[in-house]
Each structure stands twice: as structure tokens, then as C-alpha cells.
């Protein structure tokens, strides 16, 4: 049941990244209100095509975009931190207490979904028993540092109020403040690389998760198909298409908070399961479950007032996963049996 909620959460995150990509690119060219949506659709289409080509092409796209964005983001952050002005942290806004921090943390929780995505790529990783633990631990540490440095540097450049008001293109605004049009261009490239790599990684891993769930007979057998490159092509196409549509018609805050709630729910339940089944490190699972639970309650309260439609959609998905799943599984089992018993004809037989 959780895999269903997870897949929906991943599709929402793809829509968030595509939405952000579109707004950053459109902020430079300013062709009209249609431009951000068109760019969002285009980037998902391009990266869907890249993923259909195979693992090697997708991996190279990821490597290039990650190093490119890190170089630019650290450069802009360094310029901002060089002009250190603590007053900029609250310029134009009222200081918030611990409640505001908790709401903020809950609202952007989807930003951390990438860590568990690595687990779905286990079979594609070279020497996974050694590589995967190193990758996860080092990634967590690096991401903490990057987020803090970039957030502080950007705020030093333009102030807290501008960051809030221009949330869709905040890094581009900070880049322009730092280096003029050159800064705007570099920041837009960094944002495009950042969101592009996030779409690529999420699409890559979620398609494999959907394929594995289908092979476990929890989704229709049509999703078990692989193309000649060994890629689960149908899951990639479905995930890309739905994510692109959500990006074209959704709003940033609603998409982000809906995705965050899906992951908070999933992470909380997984920690409870681990708490019940594992003997070692139980205090870690207890903290994880408590943190996710508190943040989820806070976010639900916010969505009730700010985005009730998104909350209702998530509730429907959760109810289908929890209660409608047995009927759907029964139907997919029947489809699997029909597919397994269907006679395999050769081309000669079909021509005859």
C-alpha cells in the first residue's frame, strides 16, 4: 500500500521540479504567461526520452547537471556570504518562532525524497553493499551544507522579503543582484541543472519502483514491460506524462506541500514498522516516527486552510491504497494469469 502512496508522491515531486524549471527559464525570456508551463512540459518530455535510452545516458546527464549546479550555487553563495549582514535574515518580514520553523520543515520535506530513491537502483549500482552506504551518508552531509550555505548566501544578497515574494525564481533574483545579467544567467543555469537533475533521478528510480511493484503483482502486468534497452519504458512514460500535466496546471505551494505530506506519511509508517520489527537502533526509529508524525499533523492543518483540494486528493489516494487495493490486486492477478496462459505464437504462425 505504501508503494502506491510513494509513487504518487514521486510524481508530485517531478511536477514540482518541472514547474520550477519552467519558471526559471521563463524569468529570463519573458515571452508570456504560457512560457513557464510550456518549458515544464518540454523538460519532462526531453528527460523521459533520455531515460528511455538507458542507464548510461541518464547517469551522464545526472553527473554533468549535479557538478554544474554545485559550482554555480557555491559561487553565488560565496558572494553573498562575503557581504554578511545579519539584518537581511529578517529584512521585510516578521521573525518567526519554532512553530514557523516546523511548518517550513514540514512543507519542504519533499526535498529529501532523493535519499531513499537510491535503494530502488540497487541492481544498477556497482558494488552496492560498499557503495550505497557511503553514497547515502556522504550525500546527507553534503546536502545539509549546501542548503545552509545557499540559503544564507542568497538571503544576504536580496533579503528575506524578496526570497519569500520571489520564491519561484529566488536564486535567479539573487544571481542578478550579485553579478547583474551574468549572475542572472548563471543562476538560471544552476536552477535548470538542479531541477533537471532532480527530474531525471526521480523519473529513473520511480520507474524501477513501479516496475518492481508490478512484478510483485501489485500493479497491472502491462507495467512489467521493458524496451530493447532493458528500461521499464511504460512506467517511465506514465510517470512523465502525469508529472508534466500536474506541472502545467498546478501551483508551486500546493504541489510542494502535497508531495511533502505523502512522504511524511510514508516515512512515519516505515519508522513505526522498523520500530516494531527491529531490535537494534530502535531509538532512531522512534525519533523518526515522532518527527514525521508531528510534522504531518502540522502540515495537514496548513493544507486544510490553504489547499483543501490537494488534501482531499491525497486522502483519496491513501484510501484507495489502504482499502481498494485488495480488489485492484485481484483484478491484476486475473490479468497476470490470462497473460501467463496466453499461447505464444511465432511470426510464421501469425502470418498463417
Amino acid at each position: 500500500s505504501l508503494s502506491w502512496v510513494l509513487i504518487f508522491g514521486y510524481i508530485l515531486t517531478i511536477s514540482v521540479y518541472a514547474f520550477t524549471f519552467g519558471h526559471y527559464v521563463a524569468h529570463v525570456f519573458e515571452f508570456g504567461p504560457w512560457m513557464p508551463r510550456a518549458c515544464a512540459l518540454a523538460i519532462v518530455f526531453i528527460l523521459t526520452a533520455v531515460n528511455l535510452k538507458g542507464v548510461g545516458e541518464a547517469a551522464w546527464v545526472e553527473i554533468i547537471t549535479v557538478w554544474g549546479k554545485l559550482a554555480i550555487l557555491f559561487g553565488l553563495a560565496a558572494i553573498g556570504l562575503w557581504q554578511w549582514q545579519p539584518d537581511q535574515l529578517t529584512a521585510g518580514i516578521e521573525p518567526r518562532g519554532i512553530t514557523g520553523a516546523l511548518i517550513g520543515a514540514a512543507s519542504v520535506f519533499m526535498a529529501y525524497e532523493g535519499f531513499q530513491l537510491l535503494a530502488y537502483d540497487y541492481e544498477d549500482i556497482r558494488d552496492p553493499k560498499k557503495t550505497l552506504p557511503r553514497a547515502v551518508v556522504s550525500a546527507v552531509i553534503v546536502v545539509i551544507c549546501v542548503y545552509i550555505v545557499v540559503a544564507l548566501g542568497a538571503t544576504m544578497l536580496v533579503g528575506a522579503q524578496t526570497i519569500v515574494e520571489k520564491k519561484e525564481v529566488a536564486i535567479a533574483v539573487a544571481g542578478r543582484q550579485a553579478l547583474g545579467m551574468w549572475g542572472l544567467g548563471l543562476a538560471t543555469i544552476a536552477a535548470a541543472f538542479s531541477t533537471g537533475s532532480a527530474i531525471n533521478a526521480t523519473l529513473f528510480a520511480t520507474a524501477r519502483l513501479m516496475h518492481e511493484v508490478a512484478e510483485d503483482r501489485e500493479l497491472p502486468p502491462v507495467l512489467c514491460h521493458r524496451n530493447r534497452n532493458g528500461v521499464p519504458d511504460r512506467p517511465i512514460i506514465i510517470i512523465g506524462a502525469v508529472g508534466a500535466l500536474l506541472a502545467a496546471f498546478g501551483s508551486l505551494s500546493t504541489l510542494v506541500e502535497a508531495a511533502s505530506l505523502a512522504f511524511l506519511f510514508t516515512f512515519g509508517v516505515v519508522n513505526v514498522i522498523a520500530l516494531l520489527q527491529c531490535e537494534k537502533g530502535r531509538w532512531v526509529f522512534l525519533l523518526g516516527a515522532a518527527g514525521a508524525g508531528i510534522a504531518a499533523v502540522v502540515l495537514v492543518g496548513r493544507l486544510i486552510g490553504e489547499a483543501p483540494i490537494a488534501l482531499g486528493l491525497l486522502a483519496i489516494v491513501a484510501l484507495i491504497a489502504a482499502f481498494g487495493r485488495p480488489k485492484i490486486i485481484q483484478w491484476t492477478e486475473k490479468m497476470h494469469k490470462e497473460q501467463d496462459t496466453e499461447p505464444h505464437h511465432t511470426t510464421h504462425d501469425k502470418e498463417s
Side-chain angles (χ1 to χ4, degrees):
S1 296
L2 282 179
S3 65
W4 290 31
V5 178
L6 263 177
I7 290 168
F8 184 68
Y10 292 138
I11 292 173
L12 283 170
T13 61
I14 289 173
S15 69
V16 171
Y17 302 140
F19 181 98
T20 308
F21 176 92
H23 277 74
Y24 269 98
V25 174
H27 180 69
V28 175
F29 297 103
E30 298 181 351
F31 285 149
W34 57 270
M35 185 68 177
R37 312 291 180 172
C39 290
L41 292 172
I43 188 61
V44 176
F45 174 80
I46 291 170
L47 290 175
T48 297
V50 169
N51 272 270
L52 289 173
K53 295 291 289 183
V55 175
E57 287 77 3
W60 271 110
V61 169
E62 194 67 17
I63 291 168
I64 293 169
T65 54
V66 167
W67 282 107
K69 72 182 178 186
L70 282 177
I72 296 170
L73 287 174
F74 273 126
L76 291 175
I79 295 172
L81 293 173
W82 184 259
Q83 307 172 19
W84 181 258
Q85 301 175 56
D87 293 344
Q88 288 285 71
L89 293 172
T90 55
I93 63 172
E94 291 295 324
R96 302 295 180 93
I98 188 65
T99 304
L102 183 58
I103 292 173
S107 298
V108 300
F109 190 79
M110 58 139 285
Y112 303 98
E113 53 87 22
F115 295 123
Q116 84 273 9
L117 283 175
L118 289 170
Y120 311 139
D121 306 330
Y122 190 88
E123 294 181 356
D124 294 315
I125 296 173
R126 187 181 302 163
D127 193 7
K129 289 186 178 180
K130 181 184 293 184
T131 303
L132 195 57
R134 292 178 179 178
V136 173
V137 174
S138 61
V140 170
I141 295 171
V142 170
V143 165
I144 289 172
C145 296
V146 171
Y147 279 13
I148 292 173
V149 169
V150 172
L152 289 175
T155 308
M156 292 302 109
L157 287 169
V158 298
Q161 184 176 8
T162 302
I163 295 292
V164 173
E165 292 176 350
K166 303 290 185 180
K167 56 183 178 291
E168 293 91 350
V169 292
I171 296 298
V173 175
R176 186 166 191 168
Q177 180 66 25
L179 298 171
M181 291 304 296
W182 275 101
L184 174 63
L186 288 172
T188 301
I189 291 171
F193 277 11
S194 181
T195 51
S197 67
I199 294 169
N200 184 61
T202 307
L203 187 60
F204 178 90
T206 307
R208 281 149 182 79
L209 171 63
M210 185 178 282
H211 181 269
E212 290 174 12
V213 174
E215 285 194 328
D216 288 339
R217 308 207 168 196
E218 299 284 356
L219 283 172
V222 68
L223 299 175
C224 294
H225 185 268
R226 287 181 180 268
N227 64 12
R228 61 184 180 181
N229 298 317
V231 174
D233 50 351
R234 291 168 185 170
I236 286 175
I237 293 169
I238 292 171
I239 294 165
V242 178
L245 286 174
L246 288 172
F249 296 103
S251 67
L252 181 61
S253 297
T254 301
L255 292 172
V256 168
E257 291 171 3
S260 293
L261 184 57
F263 288 114
L264 282 168
F265 172 77
T266 305
F267 275 52
V269 173
V270 168
N271 274 282
V272 170
I273 293 171
L275 182 64
L276 296 174
Q277 295 189 358
C278 298
E279 296 181 359
K280 295 182 180 180
R282 299 186 70 186
W283 64 273
V284 177
F285 309 132
L286 182 60
L287 286 176
I294 294 170
V297 170
V298 170
L299 192 53
V300 167
R302 177 175 171 81
L303 286 172
I304 289 174
E306 300 290 334
I309 295 177
L311 182 60
L313 182 61
L314 281 172
I316 291 172
V317 171
L319 288 172
I320 292 173
F323 301 106
R325 193 175 63 91
K327 288 289 184 183
I328 297 174
I329 290 174
Q330 186 179 7
W331 173 65
T332 56
E333 280 286 348
K334 184 179 179 181
M335 290 180 65
H336 273 288
K337 289 177 180 177
E338 290 176 355
Q339 189 180 62
D340 292 341
T341 56
E342 183 179 338
H344 298 283
H345 300 289
T346 64
T347 304
H348 176 74
D349 291 335
K350 290 180 180 178
E351 290 174 352
S352 299

